[in-house]
Amino acid sequence: MDSVLYLDDLVDQVDWLDQVASTNHYLAQQPPSLGSRVVASWNQTQGVGRMGRAWVSPPGGSLALSVELGPSLMPVGHSDTWRGVLPLMVGSELLQAIGTISDDVSMKWPNDVHIGGKKVAGILGEIPSASRVIVGVGLNVWLEDDQLPTPQSTSLALHGLENPKQLETLIRTFLTGLITTLQNSRENVSPAIWESIRGALATLGCAVQVSYPDGRGLRGLAVDIDHAGCLLVKSENAETHTISAGDIEHLRGVS
Ligand code: BTN
């Protein structure tokens, strides 16, 4: 099976690495790119996830892909709000690409893409310096049931992905959509993009359990996201809480 997908016409530089600790960190350690650049590997050994967690990706089955935004994709005068919005934009584009093989794709705030309610991809945006933005995607591709990192994970192969050509089409659809969206969002994020993000987020309208990074918890209804991509959760006393970091669980049967 040819494991190197042809993406060279989409960005200025594509590096396929036989093995790498973390594609995000590899990119961050390189001199700043003059254009947009992708680093990808089927064997990432120390992948990083949100909130300092490990992203476990069995060799050969899971694709680690990081994109450094070149000047033509960088937001003008980007601010902290970008941190929360970027993973949502990436997730929405990935969802649309995965939608070519499954009609049960959704996003879970803030950075997960699910098929059938199970995580198929995680997204991690990093801003190593004021002028650099890197966004990494871990995508479970060929994993069989017994290779999944957790019982809450799934893979594209378990949902109809059959061959490398289909995967190449999916990744090209994702990257093409992402590049267009980023080019169009340099000044601001258009209402159409917000609409796609809101439409993709299964979290909205769900009863959720929020776990803040400091261990505190909150239960409520996820009602919307704000301009910075924060989740707005209305608690039982009708107070609206703005969640910028933390984990959420979608609750069933609670409103
Ligand atoms: C998460 O779900 O917590 C985010 C996971 C992000 C994993 C990707 S894999 C490519 C890139 N390199 C990393 O070390 N992490 C991201």
Side-chain angles (χ1 to χ4, degrees), residues 10-241:
L10 298 181
V11 287
D12 299 294
Q13 191 177 342
V14 181
D15 296 324
W16 281 94
L17 305 177
D18 288 342
Q19 190 182 72
V20 64
S22 154
T23 50
N24 267 22
H25 289 178
Y26 176 89
L27 261 180
Q29 283 155 9
Q30 303 299 306
S33 177
L34 294 177
S36 295
R37 177 172 180 185
V38 166
V39 168
S41 180
W42 287 101
N43 190 2
Q44 178 176 255
T45 54
Q46 290 173 52
V48 283
R50 280 179 64 241
M51 309 212 294
R53 297 192 186 112
W55 171 260
V56 179
S57 40
S62 190
L63 179 65
L65 184 143
S66 296
V67 183
E68 175 160 10
L69 277 47
S72 67
L73 303 184
M74 282 283 275
V76 177
H78 78 83
S79 65
D80 237 23
T81 57
W82 190 247
R83 274 178 201 277
V85 180
L86 180 65
L88 295 173
M89 280 185 189
V90 174
S92 161
E93 292 303 330
L94 188 56
L95 172 138
Q96 288 175 53
I98 295 175
T100 57
I101 62 156
S102 166
D103 57 8
D104 196 10
V105 200
S106 60
M107 268 164 76
K108 179 175 176 237
W109 187 90
N111 71 335
D112 293 354
V113 179
H114 284 191
I115 305 181
K118 292 189 168 189
K119 181 163 173 169
V120 72
I123 296 156
L124 184 68
E126 296 194 272
I127 304 185
S129 67
S131 57
R132 299 186 72 185
V133 176
I134 291 167
V135 64
V137 176
L139 180 61
N140 294 334
V141 178
W142 301 120
L143 303 182
E144 297 298 334
D145 271 320
D146 60 354
Q147 297 174 302
L148 296 170
T150 72
Q152 291 78 39
S153 314
T154 192
S155 73
L156 296 178
L158 292 172
H159 291 273
L161 186 82
E162 284 173 353
N163 57 59
K165 191 69 211 154
Q166 255 184 316
L167 177 66
E168 184 167 315
T169 304
L170 189 155
I171 298 291
R172 289 179 64 83
T173 303
F174 161 58
L175 280 177
T176 307
L178 182 61
I179 289 166
T180 306
T181 291
L182 291 171
Q183 279 166 344
N184 293 339
S185 303
R186 294 192 64 216
E187 301 280 348
N188 52 43
V189 180
S190 72
I193 293 173
W194 280 117
E195 201 180 311
S196 304
I197 292 172
R198 286 192 171 93
L201 272 171
T203 306
L204 298 184
C206 257
V208 292
Q209 174 70 41
V210 179
S211 304
Y212 288 103
D214 65 5
R216 282 178 307 129
L218 168 77
R219 193 173 273 223
L221 185 67
V223 288
D224 203 356
I225 45 172
D226 71 7
H227 70 288
C230 297
L231 188 66
L232 304 179
V233 174
K234 200 178 229 181
S235 56
E236 257 179 14
N237 62 4
E239 201 179 320
T240 299
H241 302 256

